[in-house]
Amino acid sequence: MSSNRRLSYSLAINEALHQMMAADDSVFLIGQGVNSPWYVGNTAQGLLAAFGDRRVIDTPVSENGITGTAVGAAIAGMRPIVVHPRMDFMFYAMDPIINEAANWYYMNGGKASVPLVIWGIINRGGEQAAQHSQALHATFAHIPGLKVVMPSNAYDAKGLMISAIRDPNPVIFVDDRWLYELEDTVPEEIYEVPIGKGAIRKTGSDLTLVASSFMAQEAFKAVQELSGEKIEVDLIDLRTVKPLDQELILESVKKTGKLLIADGGWKTCGLAAEISAMVCETIFGYLKAPISRVTLQDCPAPASATLEQAYYPTAETIAQAVRDLLQSPTREGLYPDLPKKQ
Amino acid sequence: MKYSQDLLECLYRMMVRIRLCEESLVEPIIKREVRCPCHLYSGQEAVAAGICASLTKADYVWGTHRSHGHFLAKGGSMAAMVAEIFGCASGCSRGRGGSMHLIDPEQGILGAAPIVAGTIALAMGAALASSIRGDNRVAVSFFGDGATGEGVLYECLNFAALKKLPLVFVCENNFYATHMPIRECRVENSIYKIGEPFCITSYEVDGNDVLGVYEVGKKAIDQCRQGMGPAFIECLTYRFRGHVGPDDNIQGDHTDIRPREEIEAWLQKDPISRFRDYLINNGLMDRKILDDIDRGVETEVAQAHAFAKASPHPDKKDLTRYVFK
């Protein structure tokens, strides 16, 4: 077995699905377009031939009913994966996801859990405008009872899909079409990437940069570029949006005293806001400068390519935000009358 | 004789259990000893009892906000249900759900929820699970006429028919969606006809005739078990109490919803006294046996309340327990 086999992000997901369906008869895939590369790329290739149409179920356009069906099947002992090839369409299924799946275990006093993966694909860019482009991870992370994972590379995509399938709770698995071609070293065997654990992608002491999913890849490019400018950044890839790996973030900020969060979602009440509040609440005394955020503006996704370029932050946006933050006045400079830190 | 003594006794006892348990909640609700909203099932007992009589323990049922009857009829413990309604840690949902969230997976009661039509797709999921595993279980989705206004019902009718899932849609038409009479909700009042465009075998039945419901339910469930796809049953019935709590919602009263004459006419069709008269008049069961059943149920109800009264409430320190498994 090769230890350094390269595999693309989308085929890593595909391999996770093949291996978990082979390992466990209760795992099945359901959703619109699971047999169609048009919808799910090559993530589902070969599944129908291997497992048949009883366990690889292409469906009519009925997001609410089909997601509810996956929830009910999970409560009845199966481990379904329900896919939404455009994450935007999940809004049709908010009732089964939130009112039912997220609440079920709690409101029934732990008598029945919902071991379900709800897989939403972010599909932005390409002038697809506001209803084919939304990144909704923060919306779901707000809901008690839901876990939310967002792998940024092929290794994590496979490992987190496996962990999500094995988890006894509903897990929102968010991937991004912009990552599908990225290759990484991916072990051939079944392995887990633990839910709730982030990863340090690069170490440095000047600043902490937190990102996830596609933004973690952009952040990595930015950090490499900044290295040439003698700016050394601690880069944390969250991997899981909920539950947050608070300890990893806090330890890094204690070291650097400066925090920049790069998120592919909107600013208001978003993931970056949550991380910012968590850090302020917990280790305010360690902060040397105001926390900074790189996010989408509070604006729907546009169609025209020129507007798209203005809308989506890139490695360069992040690098500039790092430079700006490092040049911003320190706590002492901003508030000279504050008592000195102990 | 067409029906076994066991079946007749079973149907009668179940309806009496549901009725007496429901009515036993009226006083505690008025006294605010029960604080969670209770949507009483009195008047609709023939539906739960008649349908569930053809289900096995392994089959699945899913309910709504008005599911005390479904829970009992599918084998749920009356004591655990009453304890849940009183908010006790010993309740079937450990005090996290209340009256609207009743569950007992051991008995195939996979849950109930008050989002109108919210559990129909979940019931379809249980039917799909059965179909994938090939374990021959049938799922029953109980819902009210109000759910016919929700789009997800039609998504489910289509998909269940498409995949020939073992799912029985049971619509309990009690003619009111909370406060709104059905004539103000729909232009076509024959709800069972909504199954027909999806090629689903559809029935309309007098929901206050327990043997009528039993017959139709048995046909529908048998059809599912034979892999012939879903069935739809509309049960015409009436709730003796108002939408929530013991209030009757009589016109002229503060809730001002239902004409008094309408309620009185339906009380004449009480499914329990109708069945009791039928059994006695046809010499199928002695009055004494029926009276003994009544007394036995009275004891069970008293014991259920005693169990709830003796049960502690959940500990505050356990507030966030069960958010995640």
Side-chain angles (χ1 to χ4, degrees):
Chain A
M1 194 177 289
S2 165
S3 61
N4 54 4
R5 192 249 331 221
R6 304 286 290 176
L7 201 61
S8 73
Y9 186 101
S10 53
L11 287 177
I13 292 173
N14 180 247
E15 187 167 270
L17 299 175
H18 271 280
Q19 291 178 336
M20 292 307 288
M21 288 184 71
D24 182 349
D25 286 345
S26 66
V27 178
F28 71 96
L29 178 66
I30 184 167
Q32 190 192 343
V34 294
N35 301 331
S36 160
W38 185 29
Y39 281 104
V40 293
N42 53 10
T43 54
Q45 74 181 21
L47 291 171
L48 183 64
F51 302 103
D53 62 5
R54 278 181 172 267
R55 289 175 67 201
V56 182
I57 307 168
D58 204 346
T59 71
V61 189
S62 302
E63 288 85 357
N64 186 346
I66 296 306
T67 307
T69 298
V71 175
I75 295 167
M78 304 296 282
R79 288 187 177 270
I81 302 148
V82 58
V83 60
H84 293 274
R86 308 284 183 270
M87 197 177 190
D88 315 69
F89 306 169
M90 286 169 78
F91 276 125
Y92 254 129
M94 288 308 237
D95 178 60
I97 295 172
I98 296 174
N99 276 322
E100 316 299 355
N103 287 332
W104 208 259
Y105 188 65
Y106 187 86
M107 75 187 179
N108 289 294
K111 293 287 177 73
S113 67
V114 187
L116 169 66
V117 181
I118 305 163
W119 171 17
I121 304 175
I122 302 172
N123 197 51
R124 58 207 162 139
E127 303 199 332
Q128 294 186 90
Q131 294 179 350
H132 270 45
S133 309
Q134 295 167 103
L136 306 175
H137 49 285
T139 304
F140 293 108
H142 183 61
I143 307 301
L146 295 180
K147 297 183 178 181
V148 182
V149 300
M150 282 188 102
S152 72
N153 61 39
Y155 178 91
D156 288 350
K158 179 175 172 184
L160 279 170
M161 178 58 89
I162 289 165
S163 296
I165 291 169
R166 286 179 171 170
D167 199 281
N169 302 286
V171 179
I172 312 285
F173 181 98
V174 184
D175 62 14
D176 189 319
R177 279 280 190 121
W178 284 356
L179 295 166
Y180 270 25
E181 303 300 318
L182 276 187
E183 286 193 357
D184 196 6
T185 301
V186 177
E188 290 178 26
E189 66 271 17
I190 290 179
Y191 63 92
E192 292 187 18
V193 167
I195 293 175
K197 293 289 175 201
I200 306 245
R201 299 299 184 202
K202 192 173 177 309
T203 55
S205 55
D206 293 328
L207 178 143
T208 300
L209 172 54
V210 176
S212 57
S213 189
F214 182 75
M215 289 309 279
Q217 290 292 347
E218 291 299 291
F220 189 72
K221 285 185 221 159
V223 164
Q224 283 178 311
E225 186 186 322
L226 291 163
S227 238
E229 301 168 27
K230 303 269 184 280
I231 296 172
E232 298 303 334
V233 173
D234 233 17
L235 173 58
I236 294 175
D237 179 353
L238 286 176
R239 305 199 288 189
T240 296
V241 168
K242 188 178 183 181
L244 266 183
D245 191 345
Q246 298 189 0
E247 202 182 320
L248 192 70
I249 299 168
L250 294 173
E251 285 310 309
S252 173
V253 176
K254 280 182 189 173
K255 182 176 74 177
T256 64
K258 294 183 179 179
L259 174 61
L260 171 69
I261 306 143
D263 180 40
W266 294 292
K267 192 164 202 172
T268 301
C269 296
L271 174 61
E274 173 58 31
I275 293 169
S276 174
M278 186 274 292
V279 168
C280 285
E281 273 178 345
T282 320
I283 53 164
F284 181 69
Y286 285 88
L287 288 171
K288 295 177 189 158
I291 294 169
S292 177
R293 292 181 274 171
V294 171
T295 64
L296 299 179
Q297 295 182 51
D298 285 330
C299 169
S304 172
T306 55
L307 295 175
E308 279 187 335
Q309 282 161 19
Y311 186 64
Y312 291 113
T314 61
E316 188 43 48
T317 325
I318 296 169
Q320 192 51 47
V322 170
R323 293 183 201 109
D324 291 348
L325 177 50
L326 290 176
Q327 282 162 22
S328 74
T330 61
R331 196 170 137 90
E332 287 76 14
L334 277 171
Y335 307 106
D337 297 336
L338 276 183
K340 293 276 180 251
K341 208 173 78 177
Q342 297 300 311
Chain B
M1 196 182 75
K2 196 173 172 190
Y3 302 106
S4 74
Q5 196 75 13
D6 262 6
L7 175 69
L8 296 172
E9 208 176 303
C10 201
L11 291 171
Y12 180 77
R13 177 180 288 108
M14 190 57 75
M15 289 200 292
V16 173
R17 287 180 75 222
I18 298 169
R19 173 69 56 84
L20 294 189
C21 188
E22 291 298 69
E23 294 301 312
S24 77
L25 295 168
V26 168
E27 199 182 306
I29 294 170
I30 291 168
K31 286 178 163 172
R32 301 285 289 153
E33 292 164 8
V34 165
R35 302 170 65 88
C36 71
C38 286
H39 304 77
L40 299 175
Y41 196 69
S42 297
Q44 301 184 202
E45 295 87 348
V47 177
I51 297 288
C52 292
S54 303
L55 296 175
T56 69
K57 186 175 165 181
D59 290 328
Y60 299 124
V61 300
W62 298 77
T64 63
H65 48 284
R66 195 179 308 285
S67 272
H68 297 175
H70 311 135
F71 181 84
L72 292 175
K74 187 60 173 56
S77 148
M78 187 189 290
M81 181 177 90
V82 172
E84 185 61 34
I85 292 165
F86 275 87
C88 301
S90 59
C92 60
S93 300
R94 297 190 171 107
R96 269 75 172 177
S99 159
M100 298 188 286
H101 299 293
L102 304 173
I103 192 165
D104 187 345
E106 298 277 299
Q107 300 294 333
I109 304 159
L110 292 192
I115 302 291
V116 173
T119 58
I120 298 173
L122 273 58
M124 183 158 79
L128 181 67
S130 165
S131 157
I132 292 172
R133 292 191 292 243
D135 62 13
N136 213 26
R137 296 179 193 209
V138 173
V140 174
S141 172
F142 289 103
F143 55 91
D145 46 291
T148 63
E150 300 281 10
V152 71
L153 170 59
Y154 304 89
E155 295 182 20
C156 292
L157 289 168
N158 181 57
F159 191 73
L162 192 66
K163 299 292 176 186
K164 290 198 180 327
L165 298 180
L167 175 60
V168 183
F169 296 86
V170 178
C171 179
E172 299 185 61
N173 181 2
N174 62 22
F175 299 96
Y176 287 87
T178 59
H179 68 292
M180 191 178 261
I182 194 161
R183 66 179 178 278
E184 294 178 25
C185 298
R186 306 176 55 82
V187 286
E188 164 58 65
N189 282 349
S190 298
I191 287 174
Y192 73 96
K193 289 182 183 167
I194 68 176
E196 291 172 352
F198 298 95
C199 306
I200 291 176
T201 319
S202 302
Y203 305 90
E204 181 189 50
V205 64
D206 176 350
N208 284 24
D209 168 11
V210 72
L211 288 174
V213 174
Y214 168 76
E215 285 292 348
V216 167
K218 189 170 183 313
K219 260 193 237 173
I221 291 161
D222 285 350
Q223 169 190 324
C224 284
R225 227 178 290 282
Q226 287 157 19
M228 293 161 67
F232 189 100
I233 304 172
E234 178 189 7
C235 302
L236 300 169
T237 185
Y238 198 78
R239 49 173 152 77
F240 287 171
R241 301 281 178 177
H243 169 65
V244 61
D247 192 292
D248 291 338
N249 296 170
I250 297 175
Q251 277 181 2
D253 200 356
H254 63 288
T255 49
D256 207 24
I257 295 170
R258 309 191 298 182
R260 182 180 295 279
E261 308 73 50
E262 181 184 282
I263 299 175
E264 279 163 5
W266 276 99
L267 285 170
Q268 298 306 309
K269 295 191 261 185
D270 181 332
I272 299 177
S273 41
R274 260 173 85 181
F275 190 47
R276 188 183 167 95
D277 290 348
Y278 168 84
L279 293 172
I280 293 170
N281 294 342
N282 289 282
L284 298 170
M285 275 173 79
D286 285 348
R287 189 181 300 272
K288 181 173 178 319
I289 295 176
L290 297 170
D291 289 345
D292 285 348
I293 290 173
D294 292 354
R295 271 190 292 278
V297 173
E298 283 164 14
T299 306
E300 187 192 5
V301 171
Q303 284 169 345
H305 279 262
F307 173 75
K309 284 209 166 63
S311 293
H313 288 99
D315 198 317
K316 283 181 183 172
K317 74 174 167 43
D318 290 333
L319 171 68
T320 59
R321 201 169 164 193
Y322 308 123
V323 176
F324 290 108
K325 187 171 181 181

